[in-house]
Amino acid sequence: MRTDTAAERFPAAAPIAPGRVPLAGHAARLHRDPLRFVRELRRHGPVTRIYIGPRPVHFVTSPDIVRELLTSQARSFDKGAMFDALRGPLGDGLITASGDRHLRHRRLVQPAFHHARIARYADVMSERSLARAAAWKPGTTIDLVPQIHRLTLDTLLATLFADPQDPELHTAVEGWLSVKYHSMRLALSPIDAWAERIPLLPGWRPPDAGPLRRLVAVQERIIGAYRATGRDRGDLLSMLLLTGGPDDALTDAEVTDELITLFLAGTGTVSASLAWALYEISRRPDVQRRLHDELDTALAGRAPGFDDLPALVRTRQVLTEALRLHPPSWLLMRRALRPVTLGGVRLAPGAEVFFSPYALHRDPELYDDPDRFDPERWPRQSAVRAPRHTYLPFGAGTRLCVGEDFAWTELTLALAAFLGQRRLTPADSTPVRPLVGTVLRPDRLPLTAHARPS
Ligand code: HEM
Protein backbone atom coordinates (compact mmCIF):
# COMPACT_ATOMS: atom_id res chain seq x y z
CA MET A 1 0.00 0.00 0.00
CA ARG A 2 1.20 3.50 -0.86
CA THR A 3 0.98 6.41 1.59
CA ASP A 4 1.70 9.93 0.34
CA THR A 5 4.47 11.79 2.10
CA ALA A 6 4.36 15.59 2.24
CA ALA A 7 7.10 15.68 -0.39
CA GLU A 8 4.89 13.68 -2.75
CA ARG A 9 1.74 15.67 -2.10
CA PHE A 10 3.46 18.96 -2.86
CA PRO A 11 5.91 19.59 -5.64
CA ALA A 12 9.49 20.02 -4.43
CA ALA A 13 9.90 22.83 -6.97
CA ALA A 14 7.24 25.50 -7.27
CA PRO A 15 5.61 25.98 -10.69
CA ILE A 16 6.71 29.00 -12.71
CA ALA A 17 3.91 31.52 -13.18
CA PRO A 18 2.80 31.84 -16.82
CA GLY A 19 3.96 34.83 -18.87
CA ARG A 20 7.71 34.59 -18.28
CA VAL A 21 9.71 36.03 -21.18
CA PRO A 22 13.43 35.58 -21.88
CA LEU A 23 15.75 37.96 -19.99
CA ALA A 24 13.01 40.12 -18.47
CA GLY A 25 11.14 37.26 -16.79
CA HIS A 26 7.88 38.64 -15.35
CA ALA A 27 9.37 42.10 -14.80
CA ALA A 28 7.33 43.84 -17.50
CA ARG A 29 4.03 42.51 -16.10
CA LEU A 30 5.08 43.29 -12.56
CA HIS A 31 6.06 46.79 -13.63
CA ARG A 32 2.92 47.46 -15.76
CA ASP A 33 0.30 46.55 -13.18
CA PRO A 34 1.92 45.23 -10.01
CA LEU A 35 -1.25 45.06 -7.92
CA ARG A 36 -3.12 43.02 -10.50
CA PHE A 37 -0.09 40.82 -11.09
CA VAL A 38 0.32 39.86 -7.42
CA ARG A 39 -3.42 39.26 -7.01
CA GLU A 40 -3.55 36.89 -9.93
CA LEU A 41 -0.68 34.71 -8.74
CA ARG A 42 -2.96 32.74 -6.40
CA ARG A 43 -4.40 31.03 -9.47
CA HIS A 44 -1.09 29.27 -10.04
CA GLY A 45 -0.78 27.67 -6.62
CA PRO A 46 0.06 28.37 -2.97
CA VAL A 47 3.73 28.90 -3.87
CA THR A 48 4.68 29.93 -7.37
CA ARG A 49 7.90 31.08 -8.97
CA ILE A 50 8.29 34.42 -10.73
CA TYR A 51 11.36 35.99 -12.33
CA ILE A 52 12.35 39.63 -11.86
CA GLY A 53 14.75 39.84 -14.76
CA PRO A 54 17.15 36.95 -14.11
CA ARG A 55 16.25 36.71 -10.43
CA PRO A 56 13.89 33.89 -9.37
CA VAL A 57 11.54 34.65 -6.51
CA HIS A 58 9.15 32.27 -4.77
CA PHE A 59 5.81 33.96 -4.27
CA VAL A 60 3.57 32.67 -1.47
CA THR A 61 -0.17 33.21 -1.97
CA SER A 62 -1.56 30.96 0.79
CA PRO A 63 -2.13 32.50 4.26
CA ASP A 64 -1.16 29.22 5.94
CA ILE A 65 2.21 29.19 4.26
CA VAL A 66 2.70 32.88 5.05
CA ARG A 67 2.09 31.94 8.70
CA GLU A 68 4.72 29.20 8.39
CA LEU A 69 7.16 31.69 6.87
CA LEU A 70 6.63 34.35 9.53
CA THR A 71 6.33 32.17 12.64
CA SER A 72 7.33 28.49 12.75
CA GLN A 73 10.04 28.83 10.09
CA ALA A 74 10.98 32.44 10.80
CA ARG A 75 14.46 31.54 12.05
CA SER A 76 15.36 30.05 8.67
CA PHE A 77 14.90 33.40 6.92
CA ASP A 78 16.25 36.95 6.96
CA LYS A 79 14.78 39.94 5.17
CA GLY A 80 16.65 39.55 1.90
CA ALA A 81 18.39 41.33 -0.94
CA MET A 82 16.42 44.57 -0.85
CA PHE A 83 17.35 45.10 2.78
CA ASP A 84 21.02 44.36 2.08
CA ALA A 85 20.90 47.07 -0.56
CA LEU A 86 19.34 49.51 1.90
CA ARG A 87 21.91 49.09 4.67
CA GLY A 88 24.44 51.46 3.03
CA PRO A 89 22.23 54.47 2.38
CA LEU A 90 19.77 53.95 5.23
CA GLY A 91 21.68 52.40 8.16
CA ASP A 92 21.32 49.09 9.98
CA GLY A 93 18.52 49.27 12.51
CA LEU A 94 15.64 46.92 13.33
CA ILE A 95 14.24 46.78 9.82
CA THR A 96 17.42 45.59 8.12
CA ALA A 97 19.09 43.75 11.05
CA SER A 98 19.03 39.99 11.18
CA GLY A 99 19.78 37.13 13.58
CA ASP A 100 21.12 37.95 17.04
CA ARG A 101 21.53 41.64 16.24
CA HIS A 102 17.83 41.84 15.43
CA LEU A 103 16.82 39.99 18.62
CA ARG A 104 18.93 42.24 20.82
CA HIS A 105 17.78 45.46 19.16
CA ARG A 106 14.16 44.36 19.23
CA ARG A 107 14.37 43.69 22.98
CA LEU A 108 15.97 47.08 23.58
CA VAL A 109 13.75 49.14 21.28
CA GLN A 110 10.46 47.58 22.37
CA PRO A 111 10.16 49.53 25.70
CA ALA A 112 10.01 52.80 23.75
CA PHE A 113 6.70 51.51 22.33
CA HIS A 114 5.08 50.24 25.53
CA HIS A 115 1.47 51.21 26.10
CA ALA A 116 2.27 53.66 28.91
CA ARG A 117 4.85 55.37 26.75
CA ILE A 118 2.49 55.71 23.80
CA ALA A 119 -0.02 57.38 26.11
CA ARG A 120 2.58 60.15 26.53
CA TYR A 121 3.17 60.50 22.79
CA ALA A 122 -0.61 60.70 22.21
CA ASP A 123 -0.82 64.32 23.39
CA VAL A 124 1.71 65.35 20.74
CA MET A 125 -0.15 63.36 18.08
CA SER A 126 -3.46 64.96 18.95
CA GLU A 127 -2.07 68.52 19.18
CA ARG A 128 -0.29 68.35 15.81
CA SER A 129 -3.32 66.89 14.05
CA LEU A 130 -5.71 69.41 15.57
CA ALA A 131 -3.46 72.28 14.51
CA ARG A 132 -3.23 70.96 10.94
CA ALA A 133 -7.02 70.46 10.73
CA ALA A 134 -7.73 73.92 12.20
CA ALA A 135 -5.44 75.55 9.63
CA TRP A 136 -7.57 74.11 6.84
CA LYS A 137 -10.10 76.87 6.23
CA PRO A 138 -13.68 75.72 5.55
CA GLY A 139 -14.64 76.10 1.90
CA THR A 140 -11.08 75.58 0.64
CA THR A 141 -9.68 72.69 -1.35
CA ILE A 142 -6.23 71.25 -0.85
CA ASP A 143 -4.24 68.25 -1.98
CA LEU A 144 -3.89 66.44 1.32
CA VAL A 145 -0.99 64.18 0.28
CA PRO A 146 1.81 66.70 0.98
CA GLN A 147 -0.07 68.06 4.02
CA ILE A 148 -0.32 64.63 5.56
CA HIS A 149 3.31 63.89 4.79
CA ARG A 150 4.30 67.02 6.71
CA LEU A 151 1.97 66.17 9.58
CA THR A 152 3.31 62.63 10.05
CA LEU A 153 6.92 63.74 9.81
CA ASP A 154 6.26 66.53 12.26
CA THR A 155 4.52 64.17 14.67
CA LEU A 156 7.30 61.62 14.47
CA LEU A 157 9.99 64.24 15.06
CA ALA A 158 8.09 65.65 18.01
CA THR A 159 7.60 62.20 19.59
CA LEU A 160 11.24 61.25 18.98
CA PHE A 161 12.70 64.51 20.27
CA ALA A 162 10.74 66.35 22.97
CA ASP A 163 13.11 69.29 23.28
CA PRO A 164 13.43 72.28 20.96
CA GLN A 165 14.59 70.85 17.73
CA ASP A 166 18.02 71.21 16.26
CA PRO A 167 17.71 73.79 13.44
CA GLU A 168 19.34 71.42 10.94
CA LEU A 169 17.28 68.37 11.81
CA HIS A 170 14.33 68.99 9.51
CA THR A 171 16.50 69.66 6.44
CA ALA A 172 18.70 66.67 7.20
CA VAL A 173 15.69 64.38 7.55
CA GLU A 174 14.07 65.66 4.36
CA GLY A 175 17.35 65.17 2.44
CA TRP A 176 17.66 61.66 3.75
CA LEU A 177 14.02 60.83 3.02
CA SER A 178 14.51 61.62 -0.67
CA VAL A 179 17.46 59.20 -0.81
CA LYS A 180 15.35 56.70 1.05
CA TYR A 181 12.65 56.71 -1.62
CA HIS A 182 15.24 56.55 -4.39
CA SER A 183 17.15 53.66 -2.77
CA MET A 184 14.04 51.66 -2.02
CA ARG A 185 12.81 52.03 -5.59
CA LEU A 186 16.21 50.96 -6.91
CA ALA A 187 16.43 48.01 -4.58
CA LEU A 188 13.08 46.69 -5.75
CA SER A 189 13.41 47.40 -9.44
CA PRO A 190 14.30 44.82 -12.06
CA ILE A 191 17.16 47.10 -13.14
CA ASP A 192 18.75 46.52 -9.77
CA ALA A 193 18.38 42.77 -10.28
CA TRP A 194 20.40 43.17 -13.46
CA ALA A 195 22.86 45.51 -11.82
CA GLU A 196 23.85 42.77 -9.41
CA ARG A 197 25.26 41.00 -12.44
CA ILE A 198 26.29 44.01 -14.55
CA PRO A 199 27.14 46.77 -12.05
CA LEU A 200 28.08 49.25 -14.77
CA LEU A 201 24.70 49.18 -16.49
CA PRO A 202 23.93 52.77 -17.58
CA GLY A 203 21.31 54.44 -15.47
CA TRP A 204 22.19 52.58 -12.29
CA ARG A 205 24.03 54.52 -9.65
CA PRO A 206 24.72 53.51 -6.09
CA PRO A 207 22.56 55.54 -3.73
CA ASP A 208 24.18 58.70 -2.37
CA ALA A 209 25.44 58.13 1.18
CA GLY A 210 25.90 61.91 1.83
CA PRO A 211 22.41 62.56 3.27
CA LEU A 212 22.83 59.67 5.72
CA ARG A 213 26.16 61.15 6.89
CA ARG A 214 24.57 64.58 7.40
CA LEU A 215 21.63 63.13 9.35
CA VAL A 216 23.96 61.02 11.49
CA ALA A 217 26.02 64.12 12.36
CA VAL A 218 22.93 66.03 13.51
CA GLN A 219 21.73 63.08 15.54
CA GLU A 220 25.10 62.59 17.21
CA ARG A 221 24.89 66.20 18.39
CA ILE A 222 21.40 65.66 19.81
CA ILE A 223 22.37 62.35 21.48
CA GLY A 224 25.40 64.09 23.04
CA ALA A 225 23.11 66.71 24.59
CA TYR A 226 20.76 64.03 25.97
CA ARG A 227 23.62 61.96 27.39
CA ALA A 228 24.99 65.05 29.13
CA THR A 229 21.88 65.33 31.34
CA GLY A 230 20.77 61.65 31.39
CA ARG A 231 17.19 62.87 31.90
CA ASP A 232 14.06 61.07 30.64
CA ARG A 233 12.31 63.72 28.57
CA GLY A 234 9.28 61.50 27.91
CA ASP A 235 10.19 61.01 24.26
CA LEU A 236 11.27 58.04 22.17
CA LEU A 237 14.93 59.04 22.11
CA SER A 238 15.17 59.14 25.94
CA MET A 239 13.80 55.62 26.03
CA LEU A 240 16.31 54.36 23.46
CA LEU A 241 19.13 55.87 25.51
CA LEU A 242 17.88 54.58 28.86
CA THR A 243 17.02 51.04 27.76
CA GLY A 244 19.11 47.97 28.75
CA GLY A 245 21.50 47.44 31.65
CA PRO A 246 25.04 48.86 32.05
CA ASP A 247 26.52 46.10 29.86
CA ASP A 248 23.74 45.91 27.35
CA ALA A 249 22.61 49.45 26.52
CA LEU A 250 22.52 50.59 22.90
CA THR A 251 25.65 52.46 21.86
CA ASP A 252 25.36 55.93 20.29
CA ALA A 253 25.90 54.43 16.84
CA GLU A 254 23.18 51.86 17.45
CA VAL A 255 20.77 54.51 18.70
CA THR A 256 21.48 56.53 15.56
CA ASP A 257 20.65 53.52 13.38
CA GLU A 258 17.41 52.97 15.26
CA LEU A 259 16.37 56.61 14.97
CA ILE A 260 16.95 56.45 11.24
CA THR A 261 14.99 53.22 11.06
CA LEU A 262 12.07 54.92 12.75
CA PHE A 263 12.11 57.70 10.12
CA LEU A 264 12.17 55.00 7.48
CA ALA A 265 9.37 52.93 8.98
CA GLY A 266 7.15 55.51 10.64
CA THR A 267 6.55 58.21 8.04
CA GLY A 268 5.47 56.94 4.59
CA THR A 269 3.42 54.09 6.04
CA VAL A 270 1.43 56.29 8.42
CA SER A 271 0.84 59.05 5.89
CA ALA A 272 -0.33 56.58 3.23
CA SER A 273 -2.76 54.97 5.70
CA LEU A 274 -4.19 58.29 6.79
CA ALA A 275 -4.55 59.46 3.19
CA TRP A 276 -6.34 56.25 2.15
CA ALA A 277 -8.67 56.42 5.13
CA LEU A 278 -9.61 60.05 4.37
CA TYR A 279 -10.02 59.16 0.71
CA GLU A 280 -12.56 56.42 1.54
CA ILE A 281 -14.38 58.52 4.13
CA SER A 282 -14.70 61.57 1.86
CA ARG A 283 -16.42 59.47 -0.81
CA ARG A 284 -18.94 57.91 1.60
CA PRO A 285 -21.29 60.38 3.29
CA ASP A 286 -22.96 57.57 5.30
CA VAL A 287 -19.63 56.38 6.74
CA GLN A 288 -18.62 59.97 7.47
CA ARG A 289 -21.92 60.73 9.20
CA ARG A 290 -21.48 57.73 11.51
CA LEU A 291 -17.97 58.88 12.37
CA HIS A 292 -19.20 62.39 13.10
CA ASP A 293 -21.90 60.95 15.39
CA GLU A 294 -19.34 58.86 17.24
CA LEU A 295 -16.95 61.78 17.68
CA ASP A 296 -19.70 64.16 18.80
CA THR A 297 -20.85 61.67 21.43
CA ALA A 298 -17.43 60.55 22.64
CA LEU A 299 -15.65 63.90 22.63
CA ALA A 300 -18.41 66.52 22.76
CA GLY A 301 -16.05 69.06 21.19
CA ARG A 302 -13.02 68.19 23.35
CA ALA A 303 -9.60 67.45 21.88
CA PRO A 304 -9.20 63.68 21.35
CA GLY A 305 -6.74 61.96 23.68
CA PHE A 306 -5.35 58.55 24.52
CA ASP A 307 -8.16 57.74 26.98
CA ASP A 308 -10.76 58.27 24.25
CA LEU A 309 -9.39 55.47 22.06
CA PRO A 310 -11.59 52.66 23.44
CA ALA A 311 -14.73 54.69 22.66
CA LEU A 312 -13.75 55.39 19.07
CA VAL A 313 -14.98 52.05 17.79
CA ARG A 314 -16.25 53.14 14.38
CA THR A 315 -13.13 55.18 13.76
CA ARG A 316 -11.08 52.07 14.41
CA GLN A 317 -13.31 49.98 12.13
CA VAL A 318 -12.83 52.49 9.30
CA LEU A 319 -9.06 52.43 9.76
CA THR A 320 -8.99 48.64 9.93
CA GLU A 321 -10.87 48.47 6.65
CA ALA A 322 -8.71 51.17 5.00
CA LEU A 323 -5.60 49.17 5.96
CA ARG A 324 -7.17 46.02 4.54
CA LEU A 325 -7.98 47.56 1.15
CA HIS A 326 -4.85 49.68 0.95
CA PRO A 327 -2.04 48.14 3.02
CA PRO A 328 0.93 50.50 2.64
CA SER A 329 3.36 47.56 2.92
CA TRP A 330 1.74 45.79 0.01
CA LEU A 331 4.73 43.51 -0.71
CA LEU A 332 7.03 41.88 1.86
CA MET A 333 9.97 39.58 1.42
CA ARG A 334 12.33 37.12 3.04
CA ARG A 335 15.44 35.13 2.04
CA ALA A 336 16.27 31.55 3.06
CA LEU A 337 19.37 31.34 5.25
CA ARG A 338 19.66 27.54 5.01
CA PRO A 339 18.02 24.69 3.09
CA VAL A 340 14.36 24.78 4.12
CA THR A 341 11.05 23.31 2.99
CA LEU A 342 8.24 25.87 2.88
CA GLY A 343 4.71 24.73 2.04
CA GLY A 344 6.26 21.55 0.67
CA VAL A 345 8.57 23.46 -1.66
CA ARG A 346 12.29 22.97 -1.14
CA LEU A 347 14.29 26.17 -1.01
CA ALA A 348 18.07 26.48 -1.28
CA PRO A 349 19.99 28.99 0.89
CA GLY A 350 19.64 32.41 -0.68
CA ALA A 351 16.23 31.67 -2.23
CA GLU A 352 14.01 34.73 -2.11
CA VAL A 353 10.41 34.55 -0.96
CA PHE A 354 7.79 37.28 -1.49
CA PHE A 355 4.24 37.58 -0.23
CA SER A 356 1.71 40.33 -0.59
CA PRO A 357 -0.57 41.60 2.19
CA TYR A 358 -2.46 43.42 -0.58
CA ALA A 359 -3.17 40.18 -2.46
CA LEU A 360 -4.20 38.33 0.73
CA HIS A 361 -6.47 41.19 1.80
CA ARG A 362 -8.28 41.05 -1.54
CA ASP A 363 -8.46 37.28 -1.83
CA PRO A 364 -12.16 36.34 -2.38
CA GLU A 365 -11.62 33.13 -0.44
CA LEU A 366 -10.66 35.12 2.64
CA TYR A 367 -12.96 38.15 2.38
CA ASP A 368 -16.48 38.43 0.93
CA ASP A 369 -16.71 40.93 -1.88
CA PRO A 370 -13.08 41.88 -1.17
CA ASP A 371 -12.95 45.08 -3.24
CA ARG A 372 -15.82 46.68 -1.33
CA PHE A 373 -14.98 49.20 1.41
CA ASP A 374 -17.09 47.95 4.29
CA PRO A 375 -16.01 48.94 7.82
CA GLU A 376 -18.95 46.95 9.19
CA ARG A 377 -17.26 43.70 8.28
CA TRP A 378 -15.10 44.17 11.39
CA PRO A 379 -16.39 43.40 14.87
CA ARG A 380 -17.30 46.26 17.16
CA GLN A 381 -14.89 45.33 19.95
CA SER A 382 -12.72 48.37 20.52
CA ALA A 383 -9.49 46.55 19.73
CA VAL A 384 -10.17 44.98 16.37
CA ARG A 385 -7.97 41.95 16.08
CA ALA A 386 -8.33 40.27 12.73
CA PRO A 387 -6.86 36.80 12.38
CA ARG A 388 -3.15 37.16 11.78
CA HIS A 389 -1.93 35.94 8.40
CA THR A 390 -5.12 36.85 6.58
CA TYR A 391 -4.83 40.46 7.76
CA LEU A 392 -1.24 41.62 7.66
CA PRO A 393 -0.90 45.39 7.39
CA PHE A 394 1.71 45.25 10.15
CA GLY A 395 3.25 41.88 9.27
CA ALA A 396 3.41 39.11 11.90
CA GLY A 397 5.72 36.95 13.96
CA THR A 398 9.15 38.03 15.13
CA ARG A 399 9.27 40.92 12.64
CA LEU A 400 5.81 42.28 13.48
CA CYS A 401 5.81 46.08 13.24
CA VAL A 402 7.18 47.41 16.52
CA GLY A 403 5.26 50.65 15.89
CA GLU A 404 1.84 49.04 15.44
CA ASP A 405 0.23 50.51 18.59
CA PHE A 406 1.94 53.83 17.95
CA ALA A 407 0.47 53.83 14.44
CA TRP A 408 -3.08 52.91 15.54
CA THR A 409 -2.94 55.67 18.15
CA GLU A 410 -1.62 58.26 15.74
CA LEU A 411 -4.08 57.34 12.98
CA THR A 412 -7.11 57.24 15.27
CA LEU A 413 -6.26 60.58 16.86
CA ALA A 414 -5.56 62.18 13.48
CA LEU A 415 -8.88 61.02 12.05
CA ALA A 416 -10.66 62.21 15.19
CA ALA A 417 -8.95 65.60 14.92
CA PHE A 418 -9.77 66.11 11.24
CA LEU A 419 -13.34 64.83 11.34
CA GLY A 420 -14.13 66.46 14.66
CA GLN A 421 -13.60 69.83 12.98
CA ARG A 422 -14.38 69.26 9.33
CA ARG A 423 -16.67 67.51 6.89
CA LEU A 424 -14.77 66.41 3.82
CA THR A 425 -15.86 65.99 0.22
CA PRO A 426 -13.89 65.02 -2.90
CA ALA A 427 -12.88 68.13 -4.83
CA ASP A 428 -13.11 66.65 -8.32
CA SER A 429 -14.05 63.52 -10.17
CA THR A 430 -10.55 62.71 -11.43
CA PRO A 431 -9.77 59.26 -10.04
CA VAL A 432 -7.16 58.98 -7.32
CA ARG A 433 -4.59 56.40 -8.40
CA PRO A 434 -2.45 54.14 -6.28
CA LEU A 435 1.27 54.80 -6.58
CA VAL A 436 3.00 51.48 -6.17
CA GLY A 437 6.44 51.94 -4.66
CA THR A 438 7.75 50.29 -1.55
CA VAL A 439 4.72 51.94 0.04
CA LEU A 440 1.31 51.91 -1.61
CA ARG A 441 -0.06 55.44 -1.49
CA PRO A 442 -2.52 57.68 -3.35
CA ASP A 443 -0.99 59.93 -6.01
CA ARG A 444 -3.12 62.89 -4.92
CA LEU A 445 -6.00 63.61 -2.60
CA PRO A 446 -7.79 66.86 -3.43
CA LEU A 447 -10.49 67.35 -0.79
CA THR A 448 -12.71 70.27 0.17
CA ALA A 449 -13.24 71.03 3.85
CA HIS A 450 -16.57 72.19 5.29
CA ALA A 451 -17.18 73.64 8.74
CA ARG A 452 -18.50 71.40 11.52
CA PRO A 453 -20.86 71.01 13.18
CA SER A 454 -22.93 72.05 10.13
C1 HEM B 1 0.22 52.36 9.38
C2 HEM B 1 1.51 52.45 9.63
C3 HEM B 1 2.48 51.32 9.55
C4 HEM B 1 2.44 50.20 8.77
C5 HEM B 1 1.38 49.81 7.76
C6 HEM B 1 3.63 49.43 9.09
C7 HEM B 1 3.94 48.21 8.53
C8 HEM B 1 5.00 47.43 8.92
C9 HEM B 1 5.25 46.08 8.46
C10 HEM B 1 4.38 45.33 7.48
C11 HEM B 1 6.37 45.64 9.07
C12 HEM B 1 6.99 44.26 8.94
C13 HEM B 1 7.86 44.16 7.71
C14 HEM B 1 8.28 42.74 7.42
O1 HEM B 1 7.80 41.78 8.01
O2 HEM B 1 9.13 42.60 6.53
C15 HEM B 1 6.87 46.72 9.89
C16 HEM B 1 8.03 46.67 10.64
C17 HEM B 1 8.50 47.72 11.37
N1 HEM B 1 7.85 48.90 11.63
FE1 HEM B 1 6.05 49.44 10.94
N2 HEM B 1 4.36 50.11 10.03
C18 HEM B 1 3.68 51.26 10.34
C19 HEM B 1 4.06 52.21 11.25
C20 HEM B 1 5.22 52.19 11.96
C21 HEM B 1 5.63 53.21 12.91
C22 HEM B 1 4.80 54.43 13.27
C23 HEM B 1 6.86 52.85 13.36
C24 HEM B 1 7.75 53.55 14.35
C25 HEM B 1 7.61 54.78 14.74
C26 HEM B 1 7.22 51.60 12.72
C27 HEM B 1 8.39 50.92 12.93
C28 HEM B 1 8.66 49.67 12.41
C29 HEM B 1 9.91 48.97 12.66
C30 HEM B 1 11.09 49.47 13.48
C31 HEM B 1 9.79 47.73 12.02
C32 HEM B 1 10.82 46.61 12.01
C33 HEM B 1 10.49 45.65 13.12
C34 HEM B 1 11.40 44.44 13.18
O3 HEM B 1 11.83 43.93 12.15
O4 HEM B 1 11.64 43.98 14.31
N3 HEM B 1 6.19 51.23 11.89
N4 HEM B 1 6.01 47.78 9.80
Side-chain angles (χ1 to χ4, degrees):
M1 196 183 81
R2 185 173 177 274
T3 52
D4 285 357
T5 62
E8 285 163 335
R9 278 199 307 275
F10 296 99
I16 299 177
R20 179 185 176 195
V21 297
L23 302 179
H26 299 88
R29 294 185 59 209
L30 183 58
H31 185 72
R32 208 170 28 245
D33 192 347
L35 297 178
R36 185 166 161 194
F37 179 72
V38 298
R39 271 186 91 170
E40 288 179 351
L41 287 174
R42 57 187 281 276
R43 294 196 201 140
H44 313 301
V47 184
T48 177
R49 236 177 323 153
I50 63 167
Y51 282 81
I52 302 176
R55 190 168 118 205
V57 169
H58 287 80
F59 208 108
V60 179
T61 62
S62 138
D64 291 336
I65 303 175
V66 168
R67 174 173 45 228
E68 200 183 322
L69 175 69
L70 298 183
T71 56
S72 54
Q73 304 253 39
R75 292 182 71 86
S76 297
F77 294 89
D78 71 358
K79 302 271 297 246
M82 173 181 162
F83 293 86
D84 290 345
L86 292 179
R87 224 164 261 140
L90 304 184
D92 191 14
L94 263 189
I95 283 203
T96 47
S98 57
D100 290 345
R101 179 182 167 94
H102 174 260
L103 284 179
R104 173 169 168 267
H105 278 236
R106 179 85 193 196
R107 183 169 47 76
L108 293 170
V109 170
Q110 198 106 27
F113 291 93
H114 277 166
H115 197 68
R117 207 69 193 176
I118 290 175
R120 298 176 76 166
Y121 312 147
D123 290 345
V124 174
M125 295 169 176
S126 177
E127 262 164 39
R128 303 275 155 157
S129 303
L130 284 168
R132 186 69 58 174
W136 190 0
K137 295 282 167 266
T140 60
T141 293
I142 51 177
D143 179 0
L144 268 191
V145 166
Q147 297 280 332
I148 288 177
H149 168 78
R150 243 167 274 141
L151 170 64
T152 50
L153 184 56
D154 228 44
T155 304
L156 189 64
L157 286 174
T159 44
L160 282 170
F161 310 107
D163 275 6
Q165 288 169 15
D166 188 292
E168 285 171 42
L169 181 64
H170 246 96
T171 330
V173 172
E174 289 283 4
W176 175 85
L177 279 175
S178 60
V179 173
K180 163 194 140 169
Y181 293 125
H182 178 66
S183 323
M184 292 181 92
R185 193 176 53 75
L186 263 186
L188 254 189
S189 85
I191 293 179
D192 192 59
W194 276 107
E196 282 169 19
R197 300 188 172 200
I198 319 166
L200 297 177
L201 203 71
W204 190 89
R205 277 179 200 80
D208 181 4
L212 175 63
R213 273 199 304 276
R214 282 191 283 283
L215 181 55
V216 167
V218 174
Q219 291 190 351
E220 281 170 348
R221 214 165 45 227
I222 297 175
I223 290 172
Y226 272 57
R227 291 261 194 233
T229 70
R231 202 157 48 82
D232 180 357
R233 303 173 197 224
D235 56 8
L236 264 158
L237 175 57
S238 301
M239 214 51 202
L240 293 178
L241 293 171
L242 294 171
T243 191
D247 305 327
D248 192 30
L250 292 168
T251 64
D252 285 6
E254 288 170 338
V255 170
T256 302
D257 274 349
E258 291 310 339
L259 286 175
I260 287 168
T261 294
L262 299 180
F263 293 138
L264 172 72
T267 48
T269 47
V270 179
S271 51
S273 312
L274 185 55
W276 283 121
L278 289 171
Y279 163 76
E280 295 290 355
I281 293 164
S282 67
R283 297 166 71 224
R284 289 179 172 73
D286 53 327
V287 169
Q288 189 163 182
R289 204 170 315 115
R290 283 200 289 271
L291 288 182
H292 282 151
D293 289 347
E294 173 171 278
L295 293 168
D296 292 347
T297 308
L299 304 176
R302 271 188 303 107
F306 191 72
D307 294 340
D308 296 311
L309 295 180
L312 302 181
V313 176
R314 287 187 186 283
T315 313
R316 175 83 177 216
Q317 280 174 308
V318 165
L319 282 168
T320 307
E321 182 67 345
L323 282 166
R324 182 187 69 82
L325 267 187
H326 312 284
S329 302
W330 66 284
L331 183 69
L332 297 173
M333 54 205 69
R334 296 291 186 267
R335 175 176 53 195
L337 291 168
R338 52 184 78 98
V340 55
T341 303
L342 182 72
V345 171
R346 278 182 226 136
L347 301 177
E352 287 192 82
V353 181
F354 283 15
F355 62 99
S356 167
Y358 179 90
L360 289 171
H361 293 181
R362 293 192 184 226
D363 181 337
E365 287 189 16
L366 304 177
Y367 292 95
D368 287 340
D369 199 358
D371 291 333
R372 192 160 54 95
F373 181 81
D374 177 14
E376 300 290 320
R377 72 170 82 231
W378 300 102
R380 290 278 174 91
Q381 291 93 304
S382 56
V384 173
R385 287 275 180 234
R388 293 280 183 214
H389 318 110
T390 57
Y391 183 74
L392 287 165
F394 295 97
T398 47
R399 313 297 303 233
L400 175 73
C401 175
V402 79
E404 177 174 356
D405 287 345
F406 182 105
W408 282 118
T409 304
E410 181 175 1
L411 291 169
T412 310
L413 294 175
L415 271 195
F418 272 92
L419 295 169
Q421 299 182 65
R422 301 285 177 260
R423 182 170 61 82
L424 306 176
T425 51
D428 61 37
S429 55
T430 315
V432 164
R433 292 183 204 288
L435 284 180
V436 189
T438 44
V439 167
L440 180 67
R441 61 195 172 93
D443 62 343
R444 53 199 274 287
L445 186 57
L447 297 183
T448 305
H450 308 270
R452 280 208 73 238
S454 55

